[in-house]
Amino acid sequence: MKTEQPRISIKNVIGRGYNRFWNNKQFYRVVKGSRGSKKSKNTALNFIHRIMKYPWANLLVVRRYSNTNKQSTYTDLKWAASQLGVAHLFKFNESLPEITYKPTGQKILFRGLDDELKITSITVDVGILCWAWFEEAYQIETEDKFRTVVESIRGSYDDPEFFKQITVTFNPWSERHWLKKVFFDEETREQDTFAITTTFRVNEWLDDVDRQRYLDLYRTNPRRARIVADGEWGVAEGLVFENFEVKHFNIHQKIKEIQEMAHGMDFGFTNDPTTEVSSVVDLENKELWIYDEHYEKAMLTKDIYDMLVEKGLKETPITADSAERRLIQELINKGVRRMRASVKGSGSINQGILFIQGFKIYIHPRCEHTIEEFNTYTFDQDKEGKWLNTPVDANNHIIDALRYSLEQYHLGVEKKKDTYKAIKSIGL
C-alpha cells in the first residue's frame, strides 16, 4: 500500500537540467557532472521522493571508503528529507549510518568498497534491495569492484511499477577511466544506460560570486576549466603536476637548439610496463620538452636492448630503476654501456617531484602514455578524503623514469655529457 506523497514541483525543488534524470528508470542512470552542477543534491532528493513512492524499494549507497558516507551521501539525504518537508517521517541513525522510512520500514543503507564482497550478502526486511547509488564513482579503481556490487542488486518483485536501477554520479576523471568505456563511449557502453554530463550552468541556485569563480577559470587555467566548469574528462583536483601542456613542437630543432637531453627507464614485466622517456632539458629557461616514450609489458632483456638500439640510445646516458641492477648489468654487457642505476633513498621521490614542478613542461602529442600519466598522477588521500603530500604509487611508470633521468641535475650525481649523434637516430 502506497503512502501519501509530498506534493512537490520538480521545477521549484530541483531546478532545470535534471527532469529526464528524475524520471528515468533504465538500469543504469549515470551523471558525469562538473563542480556545482547539483548532481549529488538532485540524486538525494530523487531517492527520498522515490523511497516514499515505492513501498517495495530499498537503497544501497556506496562510496569507495565507508566512512566518507557520513560527511557526504548521508548528509545529503538527510538534507533532502528536510528540503521536501518529510524529515519527520524518517529515522536517521548516524552511527551506522542508516536511514529508515518509518511508515514502512524501508531502508537506505550505506557501505564502502573497503571489502566489496561483504556487500553482496546484504538483506532487507521489507521489500527488496533494488537500487544502488555509487557516489564519486571515479574513486573506484576497477570495473570488477563495481560489478561485484551491481550483481547484488538482483531479484524481482510483484508490482507492475517495479524496476531495478544503478545510479552512478561522479566528477570528471581521466578519459581512460573504465567509467568512460562502460557508460559513455558509443561502441562499448552498456545498452540499458541513461548517461548525461551536467555543468554549473544548470544550477540556478549558485550566486554571482560562485558563478564568476568558475568563469574566471577560463582565463586563469583553461585546462582546469574544461574539467571543473565544462565537465570534460580529466583530473582537476589533487594533481601532482599542473605545470604542463600538450604541445606540438619540432623535435629536431628543439634538440639542436638546447643540446641537453635526458633519458630514463623504469622496469616492469607482467603487471607493470617497462618505460623509457626522453626529454630536452632547458635549464636556463626552466623548460622541459618531453619528445619520446616507450611503454610495453613483458619485455625481456633482448627486447629492451633492441628498443634502445632502434631509438638510437645504445651509446646515450640512461638512468634506470636501481631496483633492477641485474637487468641493468645485462644491458650494459650487451653494449648499453652508459646506463646507470638511479639514486633511491628517503625522500628521493618527493625531491624529484619538487624538481620537476619547477619546470614548465611541454609534452609532444605523440607521447600518449606520458600525457595520460600527467593527467592522472595525483596526491594520495586518507580515509577522510584529506590530501596527503605523498603521490599515489600508481600509473606513474613514465613519471618515475622521468624522475630518474633528471637526477643528474639536482642530486649531485655525476653528469655524463650526451652524444649529439643520437639526434639522427632517436626513432622519429
Side-chain angles (χ1 to χ4, degrees):
M1 181 178 178
K2 292 184 180 180
T3 57
E4 184 179 350
Q5 298 304 304
R7 295 184 178 276
I8 68 168
S9 164
I10 294 178
K11 180 180 179 181
N12 292 336
V13 173
I14 71 171
R16 63 177 184 268
Y18 282 87
N19 187 61
R20 290 185 302 150
F21 168 84
W22 186 275
N23 296 299
N24 183 270
K25 294 183 180 180
Q26 289 174 261
F27 187 70
Y28 291 109
R29 185 176 60 158
V30 184
V31 180
K32 171 169 66 73
S34 74
R35 301 299 166 87
S37 65
K38 64 184 182 183
K39 59 185 179 300
S40 299
K41 298 293 188 185
N42 270 277
T43 303
L45 288 164
N46 183 247
F47 277 126
I48 291 295
H49 184 255
R50 282 185 168 184
I51 284 286
M52 299 180 67
K53 183 176 182 180
Y54 301 109
W56 35 261
N58 295 270
L59 169 65
L60 173 65
V61 182
V62 181
R63 286 201 59 168
R64 176 60 183 86
Y65 297 107
S66 57
N67 61 348
T68 58
N69 275 312
K70 285 186 181 181
Q71 288 77 40
S72 57
T73 52
Y74 174 80
T75 302
D76 282 343
L77 286 159
K78 190 173 182 180
W79 167 88
S82 177
Q83 189 77 1
L84 294 175
V86 296
H88 63 287
L89 297 176
F90 289 84
K91 178 183 177 182
F92 298 94
N93 187 332
E94 188 170 345
S95 61
L96 290 176
E98 181 179 284
I99 300 174
T100 305
Y101 183 45
K102 292 190 285 189
T104 61
Q106 294 164 262
K107 298 283 188 181
I108 300 177
L109 307 172
F110 299 82
R111 296 292 188 275
L113 282 174
D114 311 71
D115 186 353
E116 66 270 23
L117 294 179
K118 289 183 179 179
I119 296 178
T120 60
S121 60
I122 292 177
T123 59
V124 292
D125 297 328
V126 176
I128 185 171
L129 185 62
C130 56
W131 301 332
W133 174 18
F134 290 83
E135 166 71 328
E136 302 295 10
Y138 70 84
Q139 294 179 340
I140 303 174
E141 305 93 331
T142 66
E143 183 182 345
D144 287 343
K145 278 182 177 250
F146 172 76
R147 297 285 185 189
T148 299
V149 180
V150 170
E151 289 166 5
S152 67
I153 306 300
R154 56 183 179 268
S156 61
Y157 195 84
D158 187 17
D159 188 300
E161 293 189 282
F162 175 74
F163 67 99
K164 290 178 288 189
Q165 189 172 65
I166 307 297
T167 299
V168 181
T169 56
F170 63 98
N171 291 324
W173 201 245
S174 166
E175 64 178 5
R176 293 179 183 259
H177 198 284
W178 60 266
L179 286 164
K180 184 173 183 293
K181 177 190 71 174
V182 173
F183 297 122
F184 286 87
D185 290 347
E186 290 295 334
E187 303 82 6
T188 56
R189 62 183 289 176
E190 291 283 340
Q191 288 187 352
D192 194 13
T193 295
F194 168 81
I196 58 172
T197 298
T198 59
T199 75
F200 75 96
R201 293 176 178 84
V202 302
N203 190 350
E204 59 270 52
W205 316 126
L206 291 176
D207 62 22
D208 291 340
V209 174
D210 291 332
R211 194 170 289 106
Q212 190 59 48
R213 189 172 73 249
Y214 291 117
L215 293 173
D216 282 346
L217 281 174
Y218 292 100
R219 175 179 55 84
T220 60
N221 195 334
R223 185 182 64 81
R224 185 179 173 88
R226 289 195 297 272
I227 303 163
V228 171
D230 295 338
E232 293 184 9
W233 294 96
V235 177
E237 192 171 348
L239 269 183
V240 174
F241 300 110
E242 300 203 39
N243 54 324
F244 72 95
E245 67 177 88
V246 179
K247 180 177 182 178
H248 191 279
F249 55 90
N250 187 310
I251 299 172
H252 284 292
Q253 181 180 338
K254 189 60 64 176
I255 292 174
K256 188 174 293 187
E257 175 189 339
I258 307 300
Q259 297 191 33
E260 184 72 41
M261 291 178 287
H263 311 275
M265 289 197 70
D266 190 38
F267 299 119
F269 193 75
T270 302
N271 298 315
D272 296 329
T274 291
T275 61
E276 187 279 327
V277 64
S278 297
S279 62
V280 176
V281 185
D282 186 345
L283 294 170
E284 182 178 350
N285 295 307
K286 298 297 288 183
E287 293 177 341
L288 195 62
W289 301 81
I290 301 175
Y291 65 84
D292 195 27
E293 69 173 18
H294 189 84
Y295 192 101
E296 183 179 351
K297 293 181 180 179
M299 295 186 78
L300 301 173
T301 304
K302 183 180 183 304
D303 300 324
I304 297 172
Y305 173 80
D306 290 343
M307 179 268 292
L308 293 174
V309 170
E310 182 181 349
K311 289 181 175 293
L313 300 178
K314 179 182 175 182
E315 299 180 28
T316 300
I318 302 171
T319 307
D321 182 7
S322 60
E324 297 287 348
R325 291 185 180 272
R326 184 173 68 175
L327 179 53
I328 291 173
Q329 190 59 52
E330 289 176 354
L331 288 167
I332 291 173
N333 293 344
K334 277 183 168 292
V336 189
R337 301 191 184 280
R338 305 183 75 187
M339 179 173 283
R340 63 186 172 201
S342 63
V343 176
K344 286 187 176 181
S346 177
S348 62
I349 293 176
N350 285 347
Q351 190 170 348
I353 287 171
L354 283 171
F355 185 73
I356 296 172
Q357 287 174 332
F359 286 81
K360 172 65 178 180
I361 302 170
Y362 301 95
I363 307 174
H364 197 280
R366 72 177 190 158
C367 300
E368 295 182 2
H369 294 286
T370 304
I371 294 168
E372 179 195 353
E373 289 195 8
F374 269 81
N375 273 302
T376 58
Y377 191 45
T378 60
F379 288 107
D380 205 353
Q381 292 176 282
D382 61 21
K383 290 190 175 183
E384 302 297 330
K386 296 178 181 177
W387 295 106
L388 305 175
N389 290 325
T390 305
V392 177
D393 187 19
N395 199 30
N396 56 351
H397 308 291
I398 291 281
I399 289 173
D400 281 349
L402 182 65
R403 281 197 300 105
Y404 304 150
S405 75
L406 299 176
E407 287 179 351
Q408 58 189 315
Y409 302 109
H410 69 101
L411 287 184
V413 178
E414 180 186 356
K415 183 178 178 303
K416 299 180 180 179
K417 187 65 179 176
D418 203 346
T419 54
Y420 188 68
K421 64 183 178 180
I423 295 174
K424 297 182 178 180
S425 55
I426 55 177
L428 302 182

